[in-house]
Amino acid sequence: MGEKLGKIHYQIGYEAEYQRLSVTVVECKDLKNMDTFGKSDPFVEVLFVPGKHVEMKTKVIKNNLNPVFENEVFKTEVSLGEAKKLTVVFRVFDWDHLKKSDKIGEAQVPLWKLNLSSITDDWRVLHEFTG
């Protein structure tokens, strides 16, 4: 097993009355520090795969390895049948001002494994980026 990259707390649910998927990034814990001076400045990118890439990301939380994201909810209109074919990918980065942001880790949540009629409130351990 590789080095510890941290973990992410999320909530996922399906809003049947609006035919949309709702994904909330709650917090991260014990993130790997990517900075030489100070601590990482993490943010989370949320992807729905397969599908067209729509950029959805949280605000940057400066100098924090245990960031709490407030009201960071991402929604996409999709039928329940199509939602069950998707995987939500959470990609955690360390924001850098002058260069490309560093990859910290990612977690994947296949929606066919969830009961979308209720809210899933869970944690996932981050692993290295897959692609």
Side-chain angles (χ1 to χ4, degrees):
M1 187 166 148
E3 62 185 314
K4 291 189 186 319
L5 303 176
K7 58 187 178 177
I8 187 165
H9 179 197
Y10 61 88
Q11 296 173 341
I12 297 174
Y14 188 75
E15 300 172 351
E17 63 274 20
Y18 300 109
Q19 294 240 320
R20 68 184 176 200
L21 188 65
S22 176
V23 176
T24 304
V25 177
V26 180
E27 63 185 313
C28 293
K29 288 275 188 211
D30 305 320
L31 293 178
K32 178 183 176 190
N33 193 9
M34 305 300 285
D35 288 349
T36 307
F37 303 103
K39 296 183 181 121
S40 293
D41 303 319
F43 69 92
V44 180
E45 182 180 74
V46 178
L47 304 170
F48 300 107
V49 294
K52 63 181 187 289
H53 175 68
V54 177
E55 186 169 295
M56 296 180 285
K57 56 187 175 184
T58 66
K59 294 180 184 76
V60 173
I61 307 283
K62 298 252 185 177
N63 203 32
N64 196 326
L65 301 179
N66 299 290
V68 175
F69 300 95
E70 304 214 9
N71 301 314
E72 296 281 1
V73 181
F74 304 94
K75 299 183 182 203
T76 187
E77 290 185 17
V78 62
S79 72
L80 182 57
E82 289 300 309
K84 289 179 179 179
K85 297 176 187 174
L86 296 174
T87 296
V88 177
V89 180
F90 298 99
R91 290 184 160 177
V92 183
F93 292 87
D94 171 29
W95 178 82
D96 280 314
H97 179 65
L98 297 174
K99 57 185 174 115
K100 191 173 176 186
S101 296
D102 297 318
K103 298 174 181 178
I104 297 177
E106 76 172 22
Q108 298 184 11
V109 182
L111 298 185
W112 59 270
K113 291 185 173 184
L114 304 182
N115 175 2
L116 290 177
S117 63
S118 64
I119 293 177
T120 297
D121 187 334
D122 206 358
W123 288 87
R124 283 277 163 112
V125 172
L126 299 174
H127 54 79
E128 290 186 6
F129 276 50
T130 56

